């Protein structure tokens, strides 16, 4: 019999997304089913999920979840994605809001309550529904309490169930004041530095790491980097290094049902590695959409990103005068921190007609950029995995990346025809500019750039390979939990 696995996550495509986590949770279950694994998913019923027109129905089942000294009734809703069953936890007080975690300015003040309710609600729901999973796969700090509940308050019900935790980004740890500890209802023994305490505070990411049988992150390089310095480990590098024997990296895959220029409904014309004509149509449409004044024959660089410190906008902005001198056009789609919104808007003014910016989160536009750009720039300071470099490859849009985390693992430098993109090492405007110059140089050689595009489009980063690896590590986690 195949494994019975529960996946808990705070976002998932097509229901709710702020970043790569949603892409992963939207695609991984389908690939796991290909491995013969039965998957049940749990996520919150946010306002945008309820309003999204999905086929989601009330089950009539309610679970009572203790939050501090309150007991809150959580209703279970049910839907499907591929073959997997999804349960949505409905608690309007916490999830019927405009955003998932907070506004651009600030996180919601009661996130500890919201995600304690979610985590404990998942545990209660699994028991109420009689699922009996072999393993619970938790993702990021929002689910970091689940492994603790499994190993403490609910240990008798979950003695044969493995706790598996995936870190999608160390930069978000869910840190809350010690005064919130009562919200969790956990025994005080859990509030110590060997467990979920972190310098006198509660750290939910740490809690997931410490209490799980196996911990993974989304690339091999990132799994090594986060054990080294604070830049990567964000204060948990020691905790991770200590658990080196149960920490693994599995590169994310791509959902080619969503990201495929041959079938993509969002783009001006479809194309494939056999016939690239449609890509030129997409480029023309993108130039027009952004109101740029560049010629079709000039190289166009795309950027789609959350606007945060992680993504390298400081070196990009510093390098822009030199990059623009190379005769390129740039289109940016981004949402996030105000200071970077302002920076992008300023660049658009300075390089009017050659540097286009749209602030906001726009899925259809992100497809049009992947299809219409010649190059895709990702100068990240750190990058757990990154997804846009994979999408770019598939769309024949050559990635220019910094060698960190998953970018380092998936992109190799062109170097006279060997690699699949352009890659620079040093986090500096100079290194970035030099690499863009190399890319622009290659762009002038029509034959060579076409050959590189075709090669990139032919590479396969589908989820199958990663699902095989998850399957192996699920089995290892179960043997540890039951051993
Ligand atoms: P992260 O999770 O750090 O944001 P990833 O590269 O792993 O980075 O995933 C980001 C995902 O979110 C990609 O699918 C990307 O296309 C998408 N994305 C990021 N910003 C935007 C935006 N402003 N509009 C539309 N999609 C976006």
């Amino acid at each position: 019999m195949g494994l019975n696995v529960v996946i808990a996550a705070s976002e998932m495509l097509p229901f709710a997304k702020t970043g790569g986590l949603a892409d992963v949770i939207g695609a991984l279950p389908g690939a796991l089913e290909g491995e013969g694994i039965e998957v049940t998913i749990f996520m919150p019923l946010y306002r945008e999920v309820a309003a999204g027109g999905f086929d989601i129905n009330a089950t009539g089942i309610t679970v009572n979840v203790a939050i501090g000294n309150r007991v809150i009734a959580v209703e279970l809703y049910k839907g499907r994605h591929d073959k997997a069953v999804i349960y949505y936890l409905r608690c309007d007080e916490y999830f019927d809001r405009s955003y998932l975690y907070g506004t651009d300015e600030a996180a919601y003040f009661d996130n500890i309550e919201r995600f304690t309710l979610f985590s404990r609600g998942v545990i209660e729901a699994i028991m109420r529904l009689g699922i009996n999973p072999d393993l619970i796969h938790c993702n990021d700090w929002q689910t970091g309490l689940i492994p603790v509940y499994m190993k403490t308050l609910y240990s008798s019900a979950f003695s044969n169930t493995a706790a598996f935790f995936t870190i999608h980004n160390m930069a978000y740890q869910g840190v809350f004041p010690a005064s919130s500890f009562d919200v969790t209802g956990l025994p005080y023994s859990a509030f110590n530095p060997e467990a979920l305490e972190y310098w006198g505070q509660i750290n939910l990411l740490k809690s997931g790491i410490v209490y799980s049988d196996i911990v993974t992150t989304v690339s091999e390089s990132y799994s090594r980097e986060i054990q080294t310095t604070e830049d990567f480990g964000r204060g948990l590098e020691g905790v991770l290094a200590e658990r080196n024997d149960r920490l693994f990296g599995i590169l994310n895959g791509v959902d080619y049902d969503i990201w495929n220029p041959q079938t993509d409904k969002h783009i001006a014309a479809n194309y494939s590695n056999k016939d690239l004509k449609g890509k030129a149509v997409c480029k023309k449409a993108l130039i027009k959409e952004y109101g740029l004044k560049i010629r079709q024959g000039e190289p166009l660089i795309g950027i789609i990103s959350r606007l945060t410190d992680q993504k390298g906008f400081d070196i990009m902005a510093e390098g822009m005068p030199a990059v623009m001198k190379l005769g390129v056009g740039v289109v940016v789609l981004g949402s996030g921190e105000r200071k970077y919104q302002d920076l992008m808007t300023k660049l658009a003014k300075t390089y009017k007609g050659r540097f286009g910016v749209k602030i906001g989160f726009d899925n259809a536009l992100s497809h049009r950029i992947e299809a219409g750009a010649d190059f895709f720039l990702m100068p990240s300071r750190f990058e757990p995995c990154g997804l846009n470099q994979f999408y770019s490859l598939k769309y024949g849009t050559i990635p220019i990346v910094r060698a960190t985390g998953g970018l380092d693992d998936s992109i190799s430098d062109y170097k006279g025809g060997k690699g699949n993109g352009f890659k620079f090492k040093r986090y500096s405007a100079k290194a970035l500019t030099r690499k863009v110059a190399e890319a622009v140089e290659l762009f002038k050689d029509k034959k060579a750039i076409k050959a590189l595009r075709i090669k990139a489009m032919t590479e396969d980063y589908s989820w199958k390979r990663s699902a095989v690896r998850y399957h192996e590590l699920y089995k290892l986690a179960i043997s540890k939990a039951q051993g």
Side-chain angles (χ1 to χ4, degrees):
M1 249 209 3
L3 297 180
N4 177 4
V5 167
V6 161
I7 297 181
S10 59
E11 51 187 274
M12 169 183 185
L13 277 181
F15 309 106
K17 161 166 169 170
T18 69
L21 171 64
D23 300 56
V24 174
I25 306 303
L28 176 61
L32 292 173
E33 281 149 18
E35 287 285 293
I37 298 173
E38 191 185 330
V39 182
T40 309
I41 302 161
F42 286 85
M43 71 174 285
L45 189 66
Y46 300 110
R47 179 182 295 172
E48 68 177 90
V49 178
F54 302 108
D55 186 15
I56 295 174
N57 302 295
T59 60
I61 301 171
T62 297
V63 289
N64 290 323
V65 182
I67 295 294
N69 47 22
R70 293 170 67 199
V71 175
I72 296 179
V74 174
E75 290 175 71
L76 300 182
Y77 281 64
K78 191 172 176 181
R80 282 189 167 276
H81 183 62
D82 296 330
K83 275 190 237 134
V85 170
I86 308 175
Y87 287 101
Y88 308 85
L89 274 64
R90 178 168 182 183
C91 172
D92 290 348
E93 173 186 347
Y94 288 137
F95 299 126
D96 183 20
R97 298 189 185 177
S98 305
Y99 300 94
L100 270 54
Y101 314 124
T103 64
D104 284 349
E105 267 72 44
Y108 289 132
F109 73 96
D110 55 356
N111 273 345
I112 179 77
E113 289 168 41
R114 300 174 74 225
F115 290 101
T116 298
L117 178 103
F118 177 58
S119 296
R120 198 162 182 177
V122 169
I123 292 283
E124 294 283 355
I126 289 171
M127 288 163 50
R128 178 75 166 69
L129 295 164
I131 294 177
N132 271 325
D134 297 301
L135 176 144
I136 304 180
H137 183 168
C138 307
N139 296 275
D140 280 352
W141 70 263
Q142 293 87 346
T143 58
L145 286 174
I146 293 177
V148 201
Y149 286 128
M150 291 169 70
K151 307 283 176 180
T152 58
L153 285 187
Y154 297 86
S155 59
S156 55
F158 291 95
S159 58
N160 277 321
T161 307
F164 191 99
F165 192 77
T166 298
I167 303 163
H168 297 263
N169 196 331
M170 290 302 299
Y172 304 92
Q173 300 191 358
V175 176
F176 301 96
S179 55
S180 310
F181 188 74
D182 286 345
V183 168
T184 67
L186 286 167
Y188 280 103
S189 58
F191 191 73
N192 79 70
E194 292 304 308
L196 56 77
E197 192 219 300
Y198 177 76
W199 297 103
Q201 295 185 296
I202 304 166
N203 184 322
L204 298 191
L205 189 75
K206 182 177 175 190
S207 135
I209 293 167
V210 171
Y211 284 91
S212 292
D213 298 294
I214 292 286
V215 177
T216 65
T217 185
V218 286
S219 68
E220 295 237 1
S221 285
Y222 194 62
S223 76
R224 285 191 299 271
E225 288 166 349
I226 58 179
Q227 301 178 47
T228 56
T229 61
E230 186 168 2
D231 281 349
F232 293 106
R234 300 303 174 101
L236 296 183
E237 54 278 3
V239 173
L240 290 159
E242 242 174 76
R243 288 163 180 79
N244 175 285
D245 60 331
R246 54 181 148 116
L247 173 63
F248 300 87
I250 307 178
L251 203 61
N252 287 332
V254 180
D255 189 340
Y256 288 124
D257 289 341
I258 298 177
W259 296 97
N260 182 349
Q262 259 182 294
T263 52
D264 195 327
K265 300 251 183 319
H266 299 297
I267 62 180
N270 291 117
Y271 60 93
S272 72
N273 58 3
K274 307 244 159 30
D275 181 0
L276 279 158
K277 278 199 286 300
K279 186 157 178 66
V281 178
C282 293
K283 180 173 178 182
K284 195 167 174 201
L286 186 62
I287 292 172
K288 186 157 179 245
E289 182 169 2
Y290 270 85
L292 297 191
K293 301 280 182 287
I294 67 164
R295 280 177 284 117
Q296 182 81 8
E298 291 178 301
L300 180 60
I301 298 174
I303 296 175
I304 305 163
S305 183
R306 287 184 301 110
L307 301 173
T308 65
D309 292 339
Q310 167 188 345
K311 302 291 182 176
F313 289 104
D314 50 353
I315 57 168
M316 189 206 91
E318 195 190 327
M320 243 343 112
V323 167
M324 295 312 285
K325 277 204 194 106
L326 298 167
V328 303
V330 179
V331 291
V332 179
L333 168 63
S335 61
E337 287 175 33
R338 184 77 58 196
K339 66 175 175 183
Y340 292 120
Q341 292 185 19
D342 295 344
L343 184 64
M344 291 301 122
T345 315
K346 205 169 128 203
L347 286 170
K349 271 206 194 107
T350 310
Y351 303 108
K352 199 162 180 327
R354 300 197 75 87
F355 192 107
V357 172
K358 291 198 194 286
I359 301 293
F361 197 94
D362 186 337
N363 179 52
L365 177 56
S366 74
H367 285 247
R368 296 197 291 275
I369 293 174
E370 285 293 5
D374 295 302
F375 297 100
F376 195 94
L377 182 60
M378 300 180 81
S380 303
R381 188 184 287 272
F382 64 93
E383 194 59 76
C385 177
L387 289 169
N388 280 111
Q389 78 275 25
F390 297 123
Y391 305 156
S392 299
L393 290 170
K394 185 69 181 175
Y395 283 70
T397 302
I398 305 306
I400 304 170
V401 308
R402 175 157 180 265
T404 183
L407 296 174
D408 202 12
D409 291 358
S410 55
I411 303 301
S412 47
D413 194 52
Y414 181 68
K415 276 199 202 91
K418 286 202 212 68
N420 58 359
F422 291 89
K423 182 160 83 171
F424 60 99
K425 230 184 174 69
R426 264 177 50 115
Y427 187 76
S428 74
K430 209 164 156 196
L432 179 153
T433 309
R434 206 177 290 143
K435 221 17 107 175
V436 175
E438 277 178 37
V440 169
E441 204 45 44
L442 186 78
F443 185 80
K444 293 177 189 154
D445 182 344
K446 295 292 164 227
K447 246 184 150 163
I449 188 81
K450 187 173 174 197
L452 179 55
R453 284 198 210 291
I454 292 170
K455 175 182 177 181
M457 293 172 80
T458 314
E459 290 187 351
D460 181 8
Y461 288 95
S462 52
W463 269 100
K464 173 140 188 57
R465 200 179 19 138
S466 315
V468 169
R469 189 74 183 123
Y470 274 108
H471 195 179
E472 284 167 8
L473 291 179
Y474 283 172
K475 286 192 265 191
L476 180 62
I478 292 163
S479 72
K480 276 182 185 275
Q482 296 179 351

